[in-house]
């Protein structure tokens, strides 16, 4: 197997760190990975790498990109806006579109809030691979802000904290949560994001994890899947057994998720 290519993709006066996994054999697909929010990105790096390598071995060209202010890309996390991240997705898609076979379909592979970022009209046919998708950015933002709420509860200083953070963001001021400074432009864009179908209809591979073998998709997921199907998209959904690696205290793996991903795309 070829070693992945690590390089910086220019973005104006800045640059974005990228990892390119070249396909083995005939090229079956071109895939852009959009990572999740804040610390979930770091917890998910191993799973993203394992899946990228497996997809490349199966004939998929994969590009992993660190969004603005994330990882080793330019700027600080607190300076990033939702529009910056949308521009980075476009940057990655354009790079992929210029590579390899023009007949190989384009895929946007998102994890958690990364699915929200990819669910847009990109002006060209794009399929979607959703890993543990979040139904709305409002929910994603609330979950993130609650991290600070939980941390302050032990000291008895959590009263009114959620309202204070929301008021600060509404006033255009940043807030700091779990070591991440979140700017108002990023929070506002995230909060407005919805996992809704847009652009030319294609395929959606919807994969979720649960530690319970008897678990089923939630009503929220089923409602969202129905909305994509009603818009003409072909949706293949599966609930697999595995840990929530994006939030576990130790780095964990979900082999069933990688296998299902390769089977669906390749």
């Amino acid at each position: 197997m070829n070693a992945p290519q690590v390089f910086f993709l220019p973005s104006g006066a800045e640059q974005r760190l990228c990892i390119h996994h070249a396909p083995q054999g005939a090229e079956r697909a071109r895939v852009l990975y959009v990572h999740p929010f804040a610390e979930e990105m770091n917890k998910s790096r191993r799973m993203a790498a394992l899946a990228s390598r497996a997809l490349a071995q199966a004939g998929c060209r994969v590009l992993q990109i660190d969004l603005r202010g994330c990882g080793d890309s330019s700027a600080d996390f607190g300076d990033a806006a939702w529009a910056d991240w949308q521009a980075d997705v476009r940057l990655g898609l354009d790079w992929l579109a210029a590579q390899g076979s023009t007949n190989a379909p384009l895929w946007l592979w998102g994890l958690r809030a990364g699915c929200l970022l990819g669910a847009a009209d990109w002006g060209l046919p794009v399929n979607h691979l959703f890993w543990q998708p979040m139904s709305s950015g409002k929910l994603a933002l609330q979950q993130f802000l609650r991290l600070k709420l939980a941390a302050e509860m032990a000291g008895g200083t959590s009263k009114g904290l959620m309202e204070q953070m929301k008021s600060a963001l509404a006033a255009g001021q940043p807030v700091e949560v779990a070591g991440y400074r979140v700017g108002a432009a990023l929070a506002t864009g995230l909060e407005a994001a919805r996992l809704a179908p847009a652009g030319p209809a294609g395929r959606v591979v919807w994969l979720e994890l649960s530690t319970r073998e008897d678990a089923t998709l939630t009503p929220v997921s089923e409602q969202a899947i129905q909305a994509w199907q009603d818009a003409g998209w072909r949706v293949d959904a599966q609930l697999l057994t595995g840990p929530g690696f994006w939030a576990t205290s130790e780095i964990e793996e979900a082999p069933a998720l990688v296998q299902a991903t390769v089977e669906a795309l390749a």
Side-chain angles (χ1 to χ4, degrees):
M1 186 178 73
N2 295 332
Q5 172 194 7
V6 181
F7 66 99
F8 284 100
L9 192 59
S11 176
E14 298 181 348
Q15 54 189 10
R16 306 289 180 261
L17 177 74
C18 294
I19 304 175
H20 171 227
H21 302 261
Q24 305 299 300
E27 187 172 8
R28 298 174 180 269
R30 292 168 290 174
V31 186
L32 176 64
Y33 172 64
V34 185
H35 60 70
F37 194 76
E39 190 60 23
E40 290 186 0
M41 180 191 77
N42 295 323
K43 291 292 182 70
S44 305
R45 278 200 183 277
R46 177 160 179 78
M47 274 296 295
L50 289 174
S52 295
R53 293 168 190 159
L55 284 169
Q57 283 185 304
C60 299
R61 184 183 303 277
V62 184
L63 182 69
Q64 298 174 252
I65 185 170
D66 284 358
L67 303 174
R68 185 172 193 256
C70 301
D72 291 315
S73 288
S74 299
D76 293 326
F77 189 88
D79 297 327
W82 190 254
D84 295 333
W85 288 0
Q86 290 176 315
D88 289 345
V89 173
R90 165 58 69 184
L91 187 68
L93 280 176
D94 288 346
W95 187 90
L96 269 179
Q99 309 300 313
S101 170
T102 57
N103 295 323
L106 280 169
W107 285 80
L108 268 172
W109 163 26
L111 171 58
R112 301 272 290 161
C115 300
L116 294 167
L117 194 61
D121 185 356
W122 299 103
L124 71 168
V126 175
N127 299 313
H128 292 282
L129 168 61
F130 291 151
W131 272 16
Q132 207 72 23
M134 307 196 77
S135 59
S136 74
K138 184 176 182 180
L139 175 62
L141 182 61
Q142 287 179 340
Q143 288 184 358
F144 183 69
L145 295 179
R146 284 185 188 133
L147 293 176
K148 183 165 186 175
L149 202 63
E152 298 294 332
M153 278 184 178
T157 59
S158 63
K159 185 177 180 180
L161 182 59
M162 181 64 78
E163 289 73 20
Q164 293 173 19
M165 289 188 289
K166 288 183 177 180
S167 296
L169 291 170
Q173 302 171 359
V175 298
E176 186 167 331
V177 179
Y180 288 85
R181 184 171 63 90
V182 181
L186 179 56
T188 301
L190 173 61
E191 188 173 32
R194 298 289 183 273
L195 194 68
R203 286 188 62 198
V204 173
V205 175
W206 186 297
L207 303 176
E208 295 191 27
L209 287 173
S210 175
T211 55
R212 291 173 44 206
E213 294 187 359
D214 61 342
T216 58
L217 291 172
T218 66
V220 172
S221 292
E222 290 180 344
Q223 184 178 11
I225 289 170
Q226 188 63 55
W228 284 80
Q229 290 175 330
D230 291 344
W233 293 74
R234 172 189 162 191
V235 182
D236 301 309
Q238 292 187 62
L239 183 61
L240 308 162
T241 302
F245 56 86
W246 56 89
T248 53
S249 56
E250 302 293 331
I251 302 300
E252 298 211 32
E253 299 176 9
L257 183 60
V258 174
Q259 180 179 348
T261 295
V262 172
E263 291 175 353
L265 269 65

